[in-house]
């Protein structure tokens, strides 16, 4: 009995001992696993299999478009961590997603494990990148007011074509599509469609076509016009009538959301200037669906008294903090105003220094304080370009340029360029400080030296060397005043070589210019056949210093500077030369251009221009100070091909220049039917008219120094003497032409081809039907 009890007690003791030992083992194993997990750089990212081998290295094979250094940091599979098949499978999908984002949805990825000694393995990802898969087609549904081609032109996403190897905008990117939808929405709101909305945007990958089909469904609604604009002020100190003049829209105008935004900004800025920083302007629109009108009421009211406690600038690795902060019209301690914050976002985006700009708010230390966070991402702003081109005036020309728009992260613009061509060479340096003296003023310095061979159109060569100081003063967002001071030297020469014997009447060329027998005097009638320069040009030979003060007052409402479709641009440029130097004149030029979209993607343009120059102080105008015009005024005429000229000898290349010009242009630009936008080809028809007249320079020259002027010369009265007076042809007749153009925004730069038919011209004018100009950067 006792023995049985003892045996039973022994068995229980052994069982308890076994359970205790097992518990200790489990706890010990858990501690070891925890320690290993803590040592792993990807703790929690993967679950290691008990006894899993360690990864020796991770290798990528077959990747050419994306380097291993780019893929490695994105992987969960890392060296010196336990191998996990589930983590490897996840990385395979991750690589595929990275390639999909890069426009290669057909990329294939496999992984294999290579066993090594000491319980280690290599993980090898084999990648077949496949061909580029982009957007094959963009379709719109529900659009009636604007064609699908017009809406596609608004998007930064483009369709694939044979130029796809030169671009990446045809890669399907959901973020880019979202941005494009916002551009489309803003375009509709700008054109009066206040009820516009995007119903859906679907992207389907078509395996047969190896690309995406994007379908965007829209609901346009009706176009609205403005029935009335009022300002309602709830604050007695603020008079509504004083703000009414700042409204950008008036009764009868097509509703424009951008104009409403600008009105809010202008009113808010004006209230702040008058000492009401907490005033808030809110737009209120009352729609009338029956009449398709909107009554706009701007409500001015007292806003919450919230101050900016702090502005945090984050993410800028290159740009200085002050470059970002100066784009804000408000600072730390000022009243918080959302309209001015929105303006700062637009300004920062327009700088071109950043890939992304995002401004968010968070509560401050007290309820009436707010912290503004500005998150930016710097991007490359430097450019090295090698450019080349051809024009009918300058021949072949090349340029090498280095520029930086955010120099040393200070927001300064620097450019150095050298130019070499058949008939022009030069070098120039430019520097611009956009915030001079911590004010919104742009101060700049330009240094230049340019040689021009004008012998094809006027028998002289000219080199201009000098510099310019400029100061830009923004008056409003549309109006800018730029003050300038220029000092430059003009060195004019007449070539007299066997290939260019343009001064052999004065300086005979041995063996080329016949001499009067028994003398060393040239037989002047014979020396003119090869293109003698006018005596007016001969009189201007030498070096001239010009000290000039000028200004440019410009007004700009264009929707796009490079490719305008709507808006107005005008400038006037008065200049005075005479603060030192050799030249004494007053000059003024003006130009105005108006763009309007006549039909869908058909743009009309009207341009007028004019100028006048007059000497003062009893001086005659030098020939180099006059206006020399041709195709820039009326296409169909050669450079320096119109206006006053000396009809003596070879008058075709003896332009004298004029003192007054004016002209106008009508042009209609249109897409070429059947060609996609990516080709960059557009056509145009134009009509030009204008005139250049008023030679006021010296007409009589005492070449022999004997006090008498011989105007007969080659007329037969004195065949051995060069005439000492000009035979000036100076007509005020209107020159005109019509023609067609081909405009190409090519991958290698903008090109333009003009072919003009001259309708009217004056005696001595030189025509040139075809004109080509263009350039490239690569």
């Amino acid at each position: 009995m006792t023995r049985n009890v003892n045996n039973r007690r022994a068995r229980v003791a052994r069982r308890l001992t076994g359970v205790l030992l097992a518990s200790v083992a489990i706890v010990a194993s858990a501690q070891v696993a925890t320690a290993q997990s803590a040592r792993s750089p990807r703790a929690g990212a993967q679950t290691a299999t008990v006894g899993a081998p360690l990864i020796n290295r991770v290798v990528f094979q077959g990747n050419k478009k994306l380097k291993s250094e780019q893929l490695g940091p994105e992987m969960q599979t890392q060296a010196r961590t336990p191998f996990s098949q589930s983590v490897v499978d996840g990385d395979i999908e991750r690589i595929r997603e990275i390639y999909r984002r890069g426009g290669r949805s057909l990329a294939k990825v496999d992984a294999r494990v290579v066993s090594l000694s000491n319980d280690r393995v290599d993980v090898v990802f084999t990648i077949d990148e496949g061909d580029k898969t982009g957007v094959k087609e963009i379709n719109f549904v529900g659009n009636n007011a604007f064609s699908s081609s017009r809406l596609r032109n608004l998007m930064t996403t483009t369709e694939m074509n044979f130029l796809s190897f030169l671009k990446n905008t045809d890669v399907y990117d959901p973020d880019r599509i979202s941005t494009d939808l916002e551009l489309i929405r803003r375009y509709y709101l700008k054109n009066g469609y206040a009820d516009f909305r995007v119903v859906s945007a679907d992207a389907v990958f078509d395996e047969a076509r190896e690309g995406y089909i994007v379908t965007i469904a829209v609901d346009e609604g009706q176009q609205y016009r403005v029935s009335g604009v009022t300002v309602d002020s709830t604050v007695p100190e603020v008079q509504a009538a004083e703000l009414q003049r700042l409204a950008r829209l008036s009764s009868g105008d097509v509703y424009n959301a951008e104009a409403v935004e600008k009105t809010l900004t202008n009113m808010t800025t004006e209230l702040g200037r008058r000492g009401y920083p907490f005033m808030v302007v809110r737009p209120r629109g009352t729609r009338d669906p029956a009449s398709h009108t909107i009554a706009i009421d701007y409500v001015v009211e007292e806003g919450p008294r919230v101050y900016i406690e702090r502005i945090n600038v984050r993410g800028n690795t290159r740009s200085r903090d002050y470059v970002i902060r100066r784009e804000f019209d408000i600072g730390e301690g000022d009243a918080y105003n959302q309209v001015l914050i929105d303006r700062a976002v637009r300004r920062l985006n327009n700088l071109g220094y950043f890939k992304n700009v995002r401004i968010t708010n968070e509560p401050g230390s007290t309820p009436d304080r707010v912290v503004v966070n500005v998150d930016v991402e710097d991007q490359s702003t430097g450019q090295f370009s090698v450019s080349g081109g051809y024009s009918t005036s300058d021949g072949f020309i090349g340029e090498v340029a280095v520029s930086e728009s955010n120099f040393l992260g200070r927001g300064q613009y620097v450019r150095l360029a050298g130019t070499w061509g058949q008939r022009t060479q030069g070098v120039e340096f430019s520097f611009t400080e956009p915030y001079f003296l911590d004010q919104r003023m742009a101060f700049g310095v330009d240094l230049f030296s340019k040689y021009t061979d004008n012998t094809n159109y006027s028998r002289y060569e000219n080199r201009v060397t000098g510099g310019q100081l400029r100061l830009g003063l923004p008056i409003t967002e549309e109006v800018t005043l730029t003050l300038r001071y220029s000092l430059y030297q003009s060195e004019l020469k007449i070539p007299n070589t066997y290939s260019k014997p343009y001064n052999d009447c004065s300086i005979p060329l041995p063996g080329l210019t016949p001499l009067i027998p028994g003398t060393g005097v040239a037989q002047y009638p014979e020396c003119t056949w090869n293109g003698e320069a006018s005596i007016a040009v001969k009189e201007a030979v030498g070096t001239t210093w010009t000290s000039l003060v000028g200004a440019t007052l410009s007004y700009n409402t264009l929707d796009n500077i490079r490719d305008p479709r709507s808006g107005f641009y005008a400038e006037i440029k008065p200049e005075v030369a005479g603060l030192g130097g050799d030249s004494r004149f007053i000059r003024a030029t003006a130009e105005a251009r108006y763009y309007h979209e006549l039909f869908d993607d058909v743009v009309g343009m009207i341009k007028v221009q004019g100028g006048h120059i007059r000497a003062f102080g009893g001086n005659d105008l030098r020939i180099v100070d006059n206006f020399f015009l041709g195709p820039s005024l009326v296409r169909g005429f050669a450079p320096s091909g119109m206006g006053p000229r000396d009809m003596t000898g070879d008058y075709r290349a003896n332009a004298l220049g004029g003192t007054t010009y004016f002209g106008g242009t009508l042009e209609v630009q249109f897409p070429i039917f059947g060609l996609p936008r990516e080709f960059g080809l557009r056509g145009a028809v134009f009509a030009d008219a204008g005139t250049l007249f008023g030679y006021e320079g010296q007409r009589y020259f005492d070449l022999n120094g004997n006090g008498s002027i011989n105007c007969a010369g080659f007329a037969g009265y004195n065949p051995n003497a060069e005439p000492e007076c000009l035979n000036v042809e100076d007509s005020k007749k209107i020159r005109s032409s019509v023609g067609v153009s081909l405009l190409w925004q090519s991958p290698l730069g903008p090109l333009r081809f003009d072919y003009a038919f001259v309708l009217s011209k004056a005696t001595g004018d030189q025509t040139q039907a075809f004109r080509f100009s263009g350039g490239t950067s690569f």
Side-chain angles (χ1 to χ4, degrees), residues 457-460 534 536-537 611-613 621-630 639-647 651-661 691-699 726 728-731 735 764-765:
Y457 309 104
S458 192
R459 303 306 194 193
Y460 67 88
S534 168
V537 176
H612 181 71
I613 184 172
L621 283 173
R622 296 172 59 86
I623 189 172
V624 292
D625 297 328
N626 288 337
F627 297 116
F628 288 84
L629 298 174
S640 302
M642 65 168 60
R645 62 184 58 244
D646 183 5
M647 301 299 289
Y651 66 87
R652 294 171 299 178
N654 273 330
L656 300 175
T659 60
T660 303
Y661 75 91
T691 186
L692 170 65
F693 60 90
Y695 176 75
E696 295 181 3
Q698 186 175 351
R699 292 173 180 257
L726 299 180
V728 179
E729 175 66 31
D730 188 359
S731 173
R735 285 79 163 176
D765 287 347

Side-chain angles (χ1 to χ4, degrees), residues 365-431:
S365 57
T366 60
D368 63 343
R369 296 289 187 271
V370 65
V371 176
V372 177
N373 296 318
V374 184
D375 293 288
V376 299
E377 182 182 354
D378 283 296
Q379 66 179 356
S380 175
T381 54
Q383 182 179 16
F384 172 78
S385 64
V386 180
S387 306
Y390 175 83
S391 71
T392 47
S393 59
D394 295 328
F396 289 100
I397 188 171
E399 179 185 82
V400 177
V402 179
S403 64
E404 172 59 66
S405 59
N406 188 14
F407 183 64
L408 298 178
R410 301 174 183 270
Q412 299 164 336
Y413 176 80
V414 179
R415 183 175 187 269
L416 177 64
T419 304
W420 183 89
Q422 284 182 290
R423 292 188 284 272
T424 182
Q425 295 95 41
V427 61
E428 61 177 312
F429 170 79
S430 296
F431 171 83

Side-chain angles (χ1 to χ4, degrees), residues 717-761:
Y717 300 101
N718 190 349
N720 292 326
E722 186 177 12
E724 297 177 310
C725 56
L726 299 180
N727 180 14
V728 179
E729 175 66 31
D730 188 359
S731 173
K732 297 182 180 180
K733 183 176 181 179
I734 300 295
R735 285 79 163 176
S736 61
S737 68
V738 295
V740 295
S741 302
L742 181 65
L743 292 74
W744 186 20
Q745 292 291 337
S746 74
L748 302 179
L751 304 174
R752 179 167 186 134
F753 307 82
D754 296 316
Y755 193 88
F757 302 86
V758 173
L759 301 179
S760 60
K761 64 176 184 176

Side-chain angles (χ1 to χ4, degrees), residues 64 121 200 203 254 271 277 354 384 578 606 677 740:
K64 297 178 181 179
V121 295
S200 64
V254 174
L271 288 170
F354 312 107
F384 172 78
I606 300 175
R677 170 173 62 113
V740 295

